[in-house]
Amino acid sequence: MVHLAVALANTVRASTGDALAGPDGLAAWLREVRPRLRTPVTEADLDAITERDAAAARRVRDAVRALMAGAAEPDGHVAELNAACRAAPRWHELVWGEPPALATRTAQPAVPSALAEVAEQAILLLSGPDRELVRPCGAPGCVQFFLKEHPRREWCSAGCGNRVRVARHYARSRER
C-alpha cells in the first residue's frame, strides 16, 4: 500500500495533470484514501469541499513534493507542512461498547482535519528512517514518487517499468 504522504504527492500526474485541481478532485482523492484516515470524513463533508480547501490541499501537496525532491530552500515548505498540522488538532476518545473502541475527534471541520493528518504523515515520513527510501520514478516523463522498499525497484508502478523496458527493447532492435 502506498504511504499516505506519497499518495498525496502523486496527485500530480504527467498524463492527467493535477488531481487536486478543484473541489471535486480533492473530494475524489479523500474518498479514495478515506479508509486509511483516522479522521472521520463523511459524504456530506466531501460534498461541502470548497476551492479554499482544494487550494490548501495543493499547498500541502506541493510542499510535500518539494521536500521529497530535496528542495534547495526547504524552509517555506517546512513551514507550510507545520501550519497544516497546527490547523486541526485531533485527539482520541474511548467509545465504550463491545469491544471498546478508539474514536478520533477534532475541533475543526473534517477536511482540514484530514489534510492535517496527511501533513502529519508526511512529516513522520520525511523525519523518520524511511525518508531514505523516498525516490522519484526513474521512468522518462513520470512525475510520481515511491518508497524503494525493494532493492531492485526503480519505478513508481509496473506500468512505468514496462514502458522503460519496452523503450529499451525498441532501442536495441533499432540498433540492429
Side-chain angles (χ1 to χ4, degrees), residues 3 6 125 130 133-135 145-150 153:
H3 191 283
V6 174
L125 173 64
D130 286 346
L133 302 176
V134 175
R135 301 278 194 288
F145 290 90
F146 67 97
L147 292 180
K148 186 176 175 124
E149 297 170 316
H150 188 279
R153 185 170 182 188

Side-chain angles (χ1 to χ4, degrees), residues 59-60 63 67 74-86 123:
R59 285 192 307 274
V60 171
L67 292 168
D75 292 347
H77 305 298
V78 170
E80 186 67 45
L81 275 183
N82 290 337
C85 282
R86 281 191 303 271
I123 289 169

Side-chain angles (χ1 to χ4, degrees), residues 22-32 34 37-54 104-115 117:
D24 291 341
L26 176 57
W29 185 76
L30 284 172
R31 192 173 285 114
E32 180 183 319
R34 179 171 40 190
L37 294 171
R38 294 177 311 207
T39 302
V41 180
T42 66
E43 281 301 313
D45 296 325
L46 297 175
D47 291 341
I49 290 177
T50 65
E51 179 54 45
R52 183 180 210 161
D53 295 324
T104 301
R105 305 285 189 226
T106 180
Q108 298 295 323
V111 172
S113 296
L115 291 175
E117 182 178 340

